Amino acid sequence: MRTLIDAKATVEAVASGGDTALFKACENGHKLCVRGLIEARVAVDAARTDGVTALMGAADCGHLDILRRLLEADADYYLNDCKGNTAIMLAEAAGHTECVKSICEVE
């Protein structure tokens, strides 16, 4: 990831459906990629076409370390997807209690 960022790759590119590199890294648990993208100052609250953000993806998948890093980068945990879900709602529905606790600690 660092090589791509250093080479000025378009790290904000959006795939069909709205997936960004940050979203995919969060969803798949790639901590180093997430760190590099945040350091490159990508938009942490960019949403897919269904309104799902990287924070929501991390919460839904239970990637606690990534969720915390996004919160430290000021990701907005109040945003809703197109179904009205927030990151905390997705974490709770998936049974990721530590993610729920981390979001609650920010509030």
Side-chain angles (χ1 to χ4, degrees):
M1 182 57 63
R2 176 61 32 208
T3 302
L4 291 171
I5 292 168
D6 291 344
K8 306 290 186 225
T10 308
V11 294
E12 296 269 2
V14 179
S16 62
D19 285 344
T20 63
L22 181 62
F23 181 84
K24 294 307 284 182
C26 290
E27 181 182 57
N28 292 301
H30 299 297
K31 296 176 194 177
L32 294 177
C33 289
V34 170
R35 185 180 76 201
L37 289 164
I38 289 173
E39 288 173 358
R41 302 202 177 275
V42 297
V44 294
D45 289 326
R48 299 184 329 180
T49 55
D50 59 2
V52 177
T53 65
L55 182 65
M56 292 175 194
D60 189 40
C61 294
H63 298 303
L64 182 60
D65 292 339
I66 291 172
L67 179 132
R68 287 179 175 156
R69 183 167 293 274
L70 289 166
L71 291 171
E72 290 168 4
D74 295 323
D76 188 345
Y77 50 90
Y78 285 112
L79 293 175
N80 298 88
D81 66 14
C82 67
K83 295 179 183 175
N85 296 308
T86 62
I88 198 167
M89 294 166 73
L90 293 169
E92 186 173 40
H96 302 303
T97 56
E98 292 301 315
C99 289
V100 171
K101 288 178 188 176
S102 287
I103 296 169
C104 288
E105 288 172 1
V106 174
E107 297 184 320

